[in-house]
């Protein structure tokens, strides 16, 4: 099977020859080709160029043999289309200006134009041309809460003082921001989905709110995003990643997504219980969740860790040793690959997944 066939088979609970694998943030700072380009270009230059973005997207396919290519872009780029200024500053991270902190700020946001000319869409087309049918191609966007945290804060700050203040003093404005983002994200994803085999929503800050608050404040806009996306594109598989899936699993399990990408803090055996009510095609596809820190080990260390992770995962999905490969599982990391990862260790991970036959 080709990588693309494997990913599509897993998304449809069909048997696979070997388990499909890709890694979140696989097109990034740990790769030598990326580093060489980054030495000559700013991050914004790279995400604004279809040629550079295509080259970066394809690098992990060529050098690591992953089954899917996720388009090189960023969840924060749509803010530019809404009229905010976005920059990535060395040592600071992403900066959005002006931040959105009041109802008047929300009202000022521009109309969003979303068409095939977007760099991300052009890059998806160009990646497909380059990779042909061999490899699955994935698009993505941020979920409303995760995007709202950046919009309110304006810059990376682990304490998130402005977001916390809004949560406490003015939750209606937070809801207004997420409601404004929902149709934007849905249209942006649907535009990508025209040229992608699947798309993924990143809810990277699902652990910021207690579950009840997530359900009350953030879930409605997420649900609305998915509803509009489904209206625009009934067919392209949609995956939901959450950092903090354990926290939100009970309230997202009934969303109209095809699969859940889980972080490493929710073991697959527990994910099956809290996200998948029954066996067989009724359960959603699971994606994940090897601890990205473990990829910082030597290649030999990664092989051992990956083998025990794969055995445990197969068992959790109903395939104890000797019973073959489970369906409906796309192997991935629990979160993005870290810049410290040795490329040889990332390669060892992909090769170990592809060699695994559940003996
Ligand atoms: O070279 C550099 O300094 C830039 C580093 C970088 C890269 C390689 C950033 C800045 N974004 C990206 C690409 C990126 N971002 C991809 C590319 C495709 C791939 O996965 O290979 C993807 C999917 C993202 C998604 C993204 N951006 C998320 C969701 C995933 C996650 O990690 O939880 C988030 C939260 C962002 C915001 C962002 N962009 C960049 C940084 C450093 C951050 C995090 C800022 C922070 O919260 O501190």
């Amino acid at each position: 099977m080709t990588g693309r066939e494997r990913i599509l088979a897993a998304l449809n609970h069909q048997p696979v020859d070997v388990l499909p694998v890709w890694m979140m943030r696989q097109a990034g700072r740990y790769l030598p080709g990326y580093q060489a380009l980054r030495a000559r270009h700013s991050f914004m230059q790279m995400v604004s160029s279809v040629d550079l973005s295509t080259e970066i997207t394809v690098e992990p396919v060529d050098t690591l043999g992953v089954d899917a290519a996720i388009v090189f872009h960023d969840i924060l780029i749509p803010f530019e289309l809404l009229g905010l200024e976005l920059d990535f500053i060395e040592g600071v991270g992403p900066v959005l200006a002006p931040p959105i902190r009041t109802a008047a700020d929300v009202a000022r946001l521009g109309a969003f134009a979303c068409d095939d000319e977007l760099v991300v869409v052009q890059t998806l087309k160009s990646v497909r041309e380059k990779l042909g049918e061999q490899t699955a191609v994935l698009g993505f966007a941020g979920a409303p809460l995760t995007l709202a945290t950046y919009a309110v804060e304006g810059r990376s700050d682990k304490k998130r003082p402005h977001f916390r203040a809004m949560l406490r003093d003015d939750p209606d404005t937070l809801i207004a921001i997420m409601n404004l983002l929902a149709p934007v994200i849905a249209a942006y994803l649907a535009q990508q989905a025209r040229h992608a085999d699947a798309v993924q929503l990143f809810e990277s800050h699902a652990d910021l709110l207690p579950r009840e608050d997530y359900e009350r404040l953030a879930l409605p806009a997420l649900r609305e995003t998915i509803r509009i996306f489904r209206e625009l594109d009934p067919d392209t598989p949609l995956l939901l990643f959450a950092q903090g899936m354990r926290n939100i699993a009970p309230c997202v399990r009934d969303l109209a997504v095809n699969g859940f990408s889980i972080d490493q803090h929710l073991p697959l055996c527990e994910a099956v219980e809290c996200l998948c009510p029954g066996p067989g095609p009724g359960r959603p596809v699971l994606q994940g969740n090897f601890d990205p820190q473990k990829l910082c080990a030597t290649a030999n260390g990664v092989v051992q860790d990956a083998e025990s992770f794969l055995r445990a995962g197969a068992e959790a999905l109903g395939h104890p040793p000797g019973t073959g490969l489970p369906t409906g599982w796309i192997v991935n990391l629990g979160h993005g690959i870290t810049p410290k990862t040795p490329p040889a260790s990332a390669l060892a991970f992909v090769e170990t997944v592809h060699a695994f036959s559940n003996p």
Side-chain angles (χ1 to χ4, degrees):
M1 294 173 92
T2 65
R4 180 167 185 258
E5 285 167 346
R6 275 177 208 135
I7 295 276
L8 293 176
L11 285 167
N12 288 295
H13 283 276
Q14 302 294 322
V16 283
D17 59 345
V18 300
L19 289 170
V21 56
W22 65 279
M23 294 174 290
M24 283 189 281
R25 299 287 199 111
Q26 67 189 15
R29 291 167 289 180
Y30 70 106
L31 285 178
Y34 180 89
Q35 286 164 6
L37 287 176
R38 185 72 172 82
R40 286 187 282 127
H41 303 277
S42 71
F43 181 72
M44 287 309 285
Q45 282 171 339
M46 296 191 336
V47 287
S48 309
S49 153
V50 173
D51 288 346
L52 292 176
S53 296
T54 302
E55 195 176 332
I56 298 166
T57 304
V58 168
E59 184 180 10
V61 177
D62 288 344
T63 61
L64 307 177
V66 286
D67 295 301
I70 182 157
V71 65
F72 175 74
H73 216 63
D74 198 82
I75 59 167
L76 303 178
I77 308 293
F79 282 116
E80 278 197 323
L81 305 171
L82 283 166
L84 268 62
E85 256 180 60
L86 170 66
D87 204 356
F88 288 79
I89 298 174
E90 228 43 72
V92 174
V95 177
L96 277 166
I100 307 171
R101 295 190 185 147
T102 63
D105 293 339
V106 180
R108 265 200 302 274
L109 288 178
F112 178 86
C114 184
D115 58 30
D116 245 24
E117 298 310 310
L118 293 177
V119 173
V120 65
V121 178
Q122 290 298 319
T123 304
L124 282 162
K125 283 166 93 167
S126 137
V127 168
R128 170 68 84 216
E129 275 163 28
K130 204 145 194 170
L131 296 175
E133 304 290 305
Q134 292 296 311
T135 310
V137 178
L138 311 177
F140 70 91
L145 173 70
T146 295
L147 290 187
T149 59
Y150 286 105
V152 173
E153 214 53 60
R155 60 177 57 212
S156 275
D157 183 335
K158 291 261 176 295
K159 294 202 178 115
R160 300 191 172 83
H162 297 284
F163 177 76
R164 299 264 173 225
M166 184 180 282
L167 205 55
R168 188 186 59 228
D169 303 332
D170 190 11
D172 285 350
T173 294
L174 178 61
I175 291 173
I177 296 171
M178 291 188 286
N179 286 345
L180 180 121
L181 289 172
V184 170
I185 299 165
Y188 183 72
L189 266 187
Q191 201 71 34
Q192 294 182 53
R194 298 175 54 182
H195 306 283
D197 294 302
V199 290
Q200 177 157 314
L201 271 172
F202 281 95
E203 185 66 293
S204 300
H205 298 165
D207 49 3
L208 269 190
L209 306 181
R211 181 180 303 153
E212 301 70 42
D213 290 354
Y214 186 90
E215 189 161 14
R216 186 169 50 88
L217 298 169
L219 187 62
L222 177 61
R223 196 184 289 286
E224 181 66 358
T225 305
I226 295 167
R227 187 191 68 74
I228 302 172
F229 172 73
R230 274 288 161 244
E231 217 170 74
L232 296 170
D233 182 322
D235 298 322
T236 306
L238 172 64
L239 296 157
L240 173 66
F241 164 75
Q243 167 70 24
M245 189 60 95
R246 184 193 288 285
N247 184 34
I248 65 168
C251 50
V252 296
R253 59 191 274 171
D254 69 333
L255 290 176
V257 298
N258 301 76
F260 295 98
S261 194
I262 59 179
D263 66 85
Q264 67 273 21
H265 305 297
L266 179 65
L268 276 160
C269 54
E270 287 182 46
V272 170
E273 273 172 37
C274 60
L275 288 166
C276 314
R283 81 157 163 81
V285 170
L286 290 177
Q287 185 174 263
N289 67 346
F290 189 73
D291 184 346
Q293 291 302 332
K294 291 188 175 165
L295 272 195
C296 297
T298 61
N300 280 343
V302 167
V303 171
Q304 289 189 4
D305 280 346
E307 279 173 352
S308 49
F309 161 77
L310 291 164
R311 273 194 300 276
E315 181 136 23
L317 298 176
H319 284 255
T323 62
L325 301 175
T327 61
W329 184 20
I330 299 172
V331 178
N332 204 313
L333 307 179
H335 203 181
I337 197 164
T338 74
K340 295 187 304 287
T341 302
S345 300
L347 174 65
F349 178 67
V350 173
E351 288 182 345
T352 306
V353 176
H354 282 161
F356 180 70
S357 60
N358 202 18

